Amino acid sequence: MSRKPSGELRRGWTTGTCATAATKAALLRLWGGAFPAEVSITLPKGETPVFALAQKDVGAGWAEVGIIKDAGDDPDVTHGAMIKVRVQASAGGVVFKAGEGVGTVTKAGLPIAVGEPAINPVPRAMMDEVVAEVAGEMGATPDIEITVSVPGGAEIAKKTWNPRLGITGGLSILGTTGVVRPFSCAAWIASIHRGIDVARADGLTHVAGCTGATSERVVQALHGLPDHAMLDMGDFVGGMIKYLRRHPVDRLTIGGGIGKLTKLAQGASDLHSGRSQVDFGALAMWTGDTRLRDANTALEAFEIVGPAMANAVATRAAAQAMALFADGGLPKVIEIVVIDRAGQILAQVERAT
């Protein structure tokens, strides 16, 4: 995750919120005859943000509005993207379509069926409510086709987890509360959950959670795992295991650098540097080498002691991972792979449960 700026952080709005606001503004033109100067919607928790219309267009039987997504101070890859919605009459009910830059679901395990546009359930419900609201105000029949597009979305999607999750052709239209909370862990953990769901739906029995790109590359090559077996765990080993307790797999590999996995070995379930630290006194006790009390990093400790220290970390990390499964869902095998910054394996420990 990007470095968090100091001071009070500004919240933003999800792609689902922007699409809902654009839908309302376009419907007001389609059924009411005029675009509003600005548009307000009600979010699931009762907030009523107001949005400017960045783009508007109209044709025979359709109207279209674009709204610029403002993610606040969150380092969101969709910040500044144009979220466009075109509305036109449908044969019956509300129909959702994927326009340019919005993906299509191709793998089972996601909350949207295979073949459907990647517009998540809460944004769909928000747009359904707006259709009913505006139809009631205008005396219109709420049979409408909603096409959501994000110009440039296919390129932006390459920076997201969508390709791995089987969402092809563009972005997902997301949101549960409608609000982007800066540097929130919730979105990352939700992506881990979706990764587990997709892997299980495809029948995979071995998944791997890694702390970063280098450890992921090493673990994937080590076991020949497909992309959708690789979970973007980052620092959230606890969040990953919590979900795996309820959605179990047979084999779990956890890979990472020696610093992150030392913190797991010492009982941390969140490996972020701001929320857990290496205990060098414990490392000294594990290895019997008092020099480690004065080490600055886990990698320096490894350089002092050598493989014995990495093996001690891997063994204890495996035990801690097993302990996090205390409420159930324990895999048949838990494996720990410790690497250095160059991607060399320093230790590999496997525990059958």
Side-chain angles (χ1 to χ4, degrees), residues 27-268:
L27 288 172
L28 289 169
R29 173 61 180 87
L30 183 68
W31 289 334
F35 287 110
E38 57 187 18
V39 63
S40 176
I41 61 171
T42 302
L43 300 184
K45 292 188 176 181
E47 293 180 78
T48 54
V50 177
F51 298 88
L53 278 55
Q55 181 176 314
K56 49 192 176 184
D57 200 3
V58 66
W62 60 266
E64 184 174 85
V65 168
I67 287 175
I68 300 296
K69 175 175 172 178
D70 180 358
D73 287 324
D74 195 69
D76 189 319
V77 294
T78 59
H79 176 71
M82 174 81 76
I83 313 299
K84 294 171 61 176
V85 171
R86 177 175 292 199
V87 297
Q88 61 190 62
S90 73
V94 178
V95 178
F96 293 97
K97 299 286 187 181
E100 175 195 354
V102 172
T104 299
V105 175
T106 66
K107 288 180 189 258
L110 294 169
I112 300 299
V114 170
E116 281 286 307
I119 303 170
N120 273 22
V122 171
R124 287 178 183 237
M126 290 168 64
M127 285 183 266
D128 281 336
E129 290 173 9
V130 157
V131 170
E133 172 195 336
V134 179
E137 292 174 359
M138 300 295 175
T141 302
D143 297 333
I144 204 77
E145 180 179 285
I146 298 174
T147 302
V148 185
S149 60
V150 183
E155 193 63 29
I156 298 171
K158 294 176 183 178
K159 303 173 185 177
T160 73
W161 291 298
N162 278 13
R164 179 169 295 175
L165 295 175
I167 297 170
T168 62
L171 294 162
S172 302
I173 303 302
L174 300 172
T176 52
T177 65
V179 178
V180 174
R181 301 191 180 280
F183 291 82
S184 167
C185 301
W188 194 307
I189 292 173
S191 293
I192 295 172
H193 294 177
R194 298 295 77 77
I196 293 168
D197 291 342
V198 168
R200 282 168 41 89
D202 200 43
L204 298 186
T205 58
H206 182 186
V207 298
C210 297
T211 60
T214 302
S215 54
E216 180 176 280
R217 173 178 53 79
V218 171
V219 168
Q220 186 169 19
L222 180 66
H223 293 295
L225 293 171
D227 282 347
H228 61 296
M230 309 304 296
L231 308 175
D232 291 285
M233 178 186 79
D235 294 320
F236 303 113
V237 63
M240 178 185 71
I241 289 178
K242 183 178 180 180
Y243 197 72
L244 284 169
R245 289 203 299 257
R246 304 190 306 274
H247 306 84
V249 294
D250 287 348
R251 183 183 179 101
L252 170 64
T253 297
I254 297 173
I258 194 164
K260 299 277 190 187
L261 293 188
T262 296
K263 291 191 281 187
L264 171 60
Q266 293 177 342

